[in-house]
Amino acid sequence: MTALAPIREPASTAASGPPESRGIRRDGVKLMVAEGEAPIAHTVFSRLGEWLRPGDLLVVNVSATMPASLDGHTAAGEPIRLHLSAPIGGDLWTVEPRRPQGIGSTRMTDHGGGTVTLAAGAAAHLLTPDSRSPRLWVTRMIDTGDPLAFLQRHGEPIRYSHTAAAWPLEAYQNVYARTPGSAEMPSAGRPFTTRLLTTLMAGGVFVAPLILHAGVASFEDGERPDVERYDVSEATAGIVNHVKGAGGRVIAVGTTSVRALETLTDSRGVVHPGSGSTDLVIGPQRGTRVVDGLITGWHDAGASHLDLVAAVAGQATVERCYRDADEYGYQRHEFGDSLLVLRDQTSVGSGNQRNASADSGRDAALSPLDHADSRMRRASAK
């Protein structure tokens, strides 16, 4: 994996809290729009519909954020904060040990493993560093019982030093979040409101859910993202294939949605339903097979997320966007501003073509409102 060296994160400040804390609605954050070589547009997220067409499809990640941060003490009595990233199997998890620093924490580079004492007599035994990232440890959780229930009782949302206050878990949830499992919020979807989604669907835009439980997002240059769990239903795969066959655009909300979709897309550009775990890393050389556009936030320099954005939009477009983000003061991180990149449809290569029939998505012939509502109800029932 080669990061895009010319791209750096916007020089403007990181958003220190939810826009609501600044008197701005969720959908009142800035939105930059870039499509191929066309001039970049600057607007607000509530006007997203002006850049979408009837028959387009938004794919949203309905994974809900867990309170995945646990405070504890090492055997030497040193305070430590554990960020639980993803379950491996049984009582094993990938975990990032960090040094508490006020609301946030800093990377703990000198941790040598061993047992961490947690609340309620529980413990975590850090066994060995994970092969994908030196900051992750394969960890055995001891006497925690059901991990999700333990986190609900004793955990806090993962927070970093750029946040100005200990915002509650609700601040780290998307309005359509349904299934707990993400260590950190799939934050590209945070600016959506129920009203905006309803307006988009009434205008002919489809919405389909999938699940990808996001791991910790604190990786640095050259580090691979954690293995993440996904679930793409038959109905969602069907509507994606239908939209592509009908000439519509598939626009992923967040890099997590891209990762899940592309994991299940074959070389013909056909999406198949499925669930499991993925270690797929997407960059410009691979490109995307089914995704035509992406709504995302502003990522740190060298992060693999940037490679994924460039896989959709092209490196030159992403570089232009990040230069404009500097000039116009776009805010970064989970509470920050947004970017919509749309593939230039006149230069789509074979990596984004498909030959399957639109018949693979016959049930998608419902109206956008009916279809999205039925999909959401099905996701909620899982």
Side-chain angles (χ1 to χ4, degrees):
M1 176 178 62
T2 302
L4 303 177
I7 298 176
R8 69 184 192 278
E9 64 265 24
S12 55
T13 59
S16 61
E20 304 94 292
S21 69
R22 308 189 298 272
I24 302 171
R25 297 185 320 188
R26 277 184 179 240
D27 61 2
V29 297
K30 295 178 183 178
L31 173 66
M32 184 187 298
V33 183
E35 182 173 7
E37 297 181 359
I40 289 174
H42 300 274
T43 183
V44 293
F45 200 89
S46 59
R47 299 179 67 176
L48 173 65
E50 296 177 16
W51 304 96
L52 304 180
R53 305 190 292 248
D56 283 346
L57 171 65
L58 292 173
V59 181
V60 299
N61 181 6
V62 299
S63 175
T65 310
M66 305 181 297
S69 178
L70 293 171
D71 282 347
H73 290 85
T74 67
E78 179 185 10
I80 188 171
R81 188 161 291 162
L82 301 182
H83 289 177
L84 275 64
S85 185
I88 300 173
D91 55 4
L92 294 179
W93 284 67
T94 49
V95 171
E96 181 186 7
R98 296 179 66 88
R99 184 167 284 109
Q101 188 176 71
I103 295 169
S105 59
T106 59
R107 183 178 179 183
M108 182 177 280
T109 59
D110 56 351
H111 189 69
T115 299
V116 172
T117 302
L118 302 174
H125 189 64
L126 280 68
L127 300 171
T128 184
D130 188 272
S131 60
R132 290 176 301 278
S133 168
R135 69 175 61 210
L136 286 180
W137 282 72
V138 176
T139 301
R140 174 167 286 113
M141 305 302 294
I142 302 170
D143 294 333
T144 58
D146 177 67
L148 285 178
F150 185 85
L151 289 173
Q152 290 293 338
R153 291 193 301 270
H154 303 291
E156 292 285 336
I158 289 178
R159 306 183 182 100
Y160 294 104
S161 57
H162 61 266
T163 55
W167 307 110
L169 182 63
E170 291 73 19
Y172 295 87
Q173 302 289 10
N174 296 320
V175 296
Y176 48 70
R178 294 292 182 270
T179 307
S182 283
E184 299 192 37
M185 173 176 57
S187 57
R190 195 185 191 281
F192 281 99
T193 62
T194 302
R195 178 178 179 178
L196 177 57
L197 286 167
T198 302
T199 300
L200 293 172
M201 290 188 288
V205 175
F206 293 93
V207 179
L210 56 70
I211 294 171
L212 187 132
H213 294 310
V216 296
S218 55
F219 296 104
E220 296 179 347
D221 193 358
E223 295 180 354
R224 294 175 64 90
D226 200 3
V227 172
E228 293 172 319
R229 297 162 293 148
Y230 64 84
D231 186 358
V232 176
S233 70
E234 183 177 354
T236 290
I239 190 173
V240 171
N241 294 329
H242 171 81
V243 166
K244 293 293 288 187
R249 298 176 298 183
V250 174
I251 300 166
V253 179
T255 58
T256 58
S257 295
V258 179
R259 199 181 196 197
L261 281 178
E262 293 291 328
T263 294
L264 292 169
T265 303
D266 65 26
S267 60
R268 298 176 300 148
V270 178
V271 179
H272 302 270
S275 60
S277 298
T278 180
D279 62 356
L280 179 65
V281 177
I282 301 168
Q285 289 185 334
R286 179 195 184 276
T288 56
R289 296 173 175 174
V290 71
V291 172
D292 302 303
L294 170 64
I295 296 171
T296 187
W298 299 94
H299 304 291
D300 290 339
S304 62
H305 296 300
L306 273 176
D307 288 329
L308 192 153
V309 179
V312 176
Q315 179 172 348
T317 296
V318 179
E319 289 173 356
R320 288 197 300 134
C321 291
Y322 273 71
R323 286 195 296 268
D324 263 31
D326 281 351
E327 181 178 351
Y328 289 90
Y330 278 68
Q331 291 194 310
R332 296 180 285 129
H333 294 311
E334 67 271 24
F335 299 129
D337 297 311
S338 296
L339 169 66
L340 167 63
V341 290
L342 295 166
R343 186 188 303 277
D344 183 352
Q345 295 297 301
T346 63
S347 61
V348 174
S350 60
N352 197 246
Q353 298 288 338
R354 71 181 305 276
N355 299 314
S357 166
D359 290 343
S360 61
R362 288 185 189 276
D363 68 332
L366 298 170
S367 72
L369 278 170
D370 290 341
H371 190 91
D373 182 63
S374 65
R375 299 292 78 77
M376 287 296 185
R377 287 200 304 271
R378 188 172 298 185
S380 299
K382 290 184 178 180

